[in-house]
Amino acid sequence: KDCYIYLGGNNESWVNHSLHFFSKPPNDKWRSVKTLNALYEGGFKNDVYELITIGKEDYPYENIKEEYDKIIKRTQGIISYRPIFRDYLKKICEDLIEKQILYMEVHSSFNGMYDMKRSYFNAEHEMDLYVSIRNEIKKTYPDFNFKVIYSISQSDREKSIKEHYQTALDLFDSYPDVFGGFDFAQGKIYDKSEIKPLVDQYFKTKLDPYYSEMFLPLFFNPEEKEYFFHEGIYDAVLLNSKRIGYAYELYKHPELMKLIKEKDIAVELSPISNQVFGSAPDLRHHPAKVYINHGIPFILGCENQGILKYT
């Protein structure tokens, strides 16, 4: 009854058809989802579903990336609503357990959750929620576990890279069993003068005996464009990255494949995402089999499984 949909067109603050929870909506451009669903005799929820999902059946889709970005914004007010997020993450865990998958990693922007009493929960509050969900799941399924990765690319808060990294270090120090690492993901551009001191700090910290047993793992998602891709991969290797995301194009770089195998660095693959966005419409031709044949370590990602119409 507290869920509202925005019908005010696209602007700097909201994307049309965004969903959000309010005790009282801020203006008359927000309409009650419950009221609209009753008005359309239960059919409106199907319209909402189409507005917040996109799948392989929609390919080829004109401006699919633009539509996907809108969907992410439309759903942000749902997924970041604390009571919904708790159920959402539990459902993901239970679906994986049913498929006999007993470990996963969640990438989070730590943008802050909200509920009817508080408009913003800080990073520590969000981690407390993850710990609570994890402990609840493990009571029934003791072999299941998950960790949370701090992802820069998903963050909509204006912070320096040093601020992001310091937050990640603090979370890793406070939640070593649940916090899994720091993701230098694509989408954020930082000046080299800002990155160099961080790199110096990174290697200095790594050599410190005090931190050697609890060193923050790094994850990289280099820009997957031919001109930048190989440079991003080399950066990830030099910084001893634990894993490299967006590695669909790696098979075009045999020397890099060899180097990654020698360093035992895993690559992330998201086949359903690749299918939806058209880079691999037929999964029988997905380059994952190249990595399998060459002994490249890899993980399978289920990127935004609800939005991409699969579980």
Side-chain angles (χ1 to χ4, degrees):
K1 64 182 178 65
D2 298 316
C3 186
Y4 292 82
I5 187 166
Y6 182 72
L7 301 177
N10 300 327
N11 55 56
E12 291 184 2
S13 301
W14 299 100
V15 170
N16 203 33
H17 304 124
S18 292
L19 293 149
H20 204 280
F21 285 83
F22 298 106
S23 55
K24 182 181 179 180
N27 54 55
D28 60 3
K29 294 180 180 180
W30 293 89
R31 300 288 301 278
S32 165
V33 172
K34 183 177 181 180
T35 300
L36 289 171
N37 197 47
L39 182 65
Y40 290 95
E41 299 179 341
F44 185 67
K45 64 182 179 182
N46 296 324
D47 294 334
V48 171
Y49 176 76
E50 291 302 320
L51 287 167
I52 62 173
T53 58
I54 194 166
K56 62 182 181 180
E57 60 269 37
D58 298 312
Y59 177 81
Y61 194 106
E62 187 177 0
N63 300 323
I64 189 168
K65 183 64 170 63
E66 180 181 335
E67 185 63 22
Y68 175 75
D69 290 341
K70 288 180 181 178
I71 289 171
I72 294 293
K73 293 177 181 177
R74 286 175 189 146
T75 57
Q76 191 171 7
I78 299 179
I79 296 175
S80 61
Y81 182 58
R82 189 179 174 100
I84 292 287
F85 181 80
R86 169 176 279 278
D87 291 344
Y88 174 69
L89 185 58
K90 281 182 63 180
K91 181 67 166 62
I92 291 174
C93 295
E94 290 164 357
D95 286 348
L96 291 175
I97 291 168
E98 187 178 339
K99 296 178 174 68
Q100 299 183 349
I101 297 171
L102 299 179
Y103 177 75
M104 74 169 184
E105 290 172 349
V106 181
H107 286 245
S108 176
S109 60
F110 290 92
N111 285 328
M113 297 180 185
Y114 74 101
D115 61 16
M116 290 300 175
K117 296 180 180 179
R118 301 181 66 169
S119 60
Y120 175 68
F121 288 83
N122 62 30
E124 288 76 17
H125 289 135
E126 185 171 333
M127 282 302 301
D128 286 338
L129 180 60
Y130 286 120
V131 171
S132 172
I133 295 170
R134 174 180 174 268
N135 292 344
E136 185 177 339
I137 294 283
K138 286 179 76 66
K139 286 180 181 179
T140 308
Y141 305 99
D143 293 333
F144 180 79
N145 198 11
F146 68 78
K147 290 194 174 184
V148 185
I149 312 297
Y150 190 114
S151 178
I152 287 183
S153 74
Q154 298 172 6
S155 178
D156 59 9
R157 300 193 177 278
E158 291 300 323
K159 289 183 180 179
S160 68
I161 194 170
K162 185 176 181 180
E163 289 175 309
H164 280 298
Y165 188 66
Q166 187 59 55
T167 300
L169 285 174
D170 292 341
L171 290 172
F172 191 48
D173 186 44
S174 301
Y175 305 88
D177 294 336
V178 183
F179 192 79
F182 187 68
D183 181 11
F184 285 92
Q186 66 174 5
K188 297 287 181 182
I189 300 175
Y190 292 97
D191 189 88
K192 288 183 178 181
S193 63
E194 185 179 357
I195 294 175
K196 188 178 184 303
L198 185 69
V199 172
D200 292 340
Q201 177 191 347
Y202 173 79
F203 283 110
K204 183 178 179 181
T205 305
K206 188 173 184 181
L207 294 173
D208 189 327
Y210 177 77
Y211 291 101
S212 61
E213 295 298 320
M214 50 168 283
F215 194 67
L216 183 62
L218 293 184
F219 299 78
F220 276 78
N221 287 281
E223 184 71 40
E224 195 157 20
K225 294 179 181 177
E226 194 67 31
Y227 182 76
F228 299 107
F229 181 70
H230 69 285
E231 290 188 4
I233 296 290
Y234 277 120
D235 288 342
V237 172
L238 289 170
L239 286 170
N240 303 310
S241 177
K242 180 180 179 181
R243 203 161 66 226
I244 299 171
Y246 295 106
Y248 182 88
E249 297 280 339
L250 180 62
Y251 68 96
K252 296 179 180 179
H253 304 272
E255 288 301 316
L256 278 173
M257 284 178 56
K258 180 180 178 182
L259 188 59
I260 285 172
K261 183 177 180 180
E262 290 174 355
K263 295 283 188 178
D264 197 33
I265 299 172
V267 296
E268 293 181 2
L269 302 173
S270 298
I272 301 299
S273 177
N274 298 146
Q275 186 179 47
V276 172
F277 289 105
S279 52
D282 187 341
L283 292 184
R284 292 174 296 182
H285 305 308
H286 195 281
K289 60 185 178 183
V290 176
Y291 306 138
I292 294 172
N293 291 338
H294 285 80
I296 305 292
F298 72 94
I299 65 102
L300 291 178
C302 47
E303 183 180 20
N304 288 316
Q305 60 270 48
I307 289 171
L308 298 181
K309 292 186 179 179
Y310 75 100
T311 58

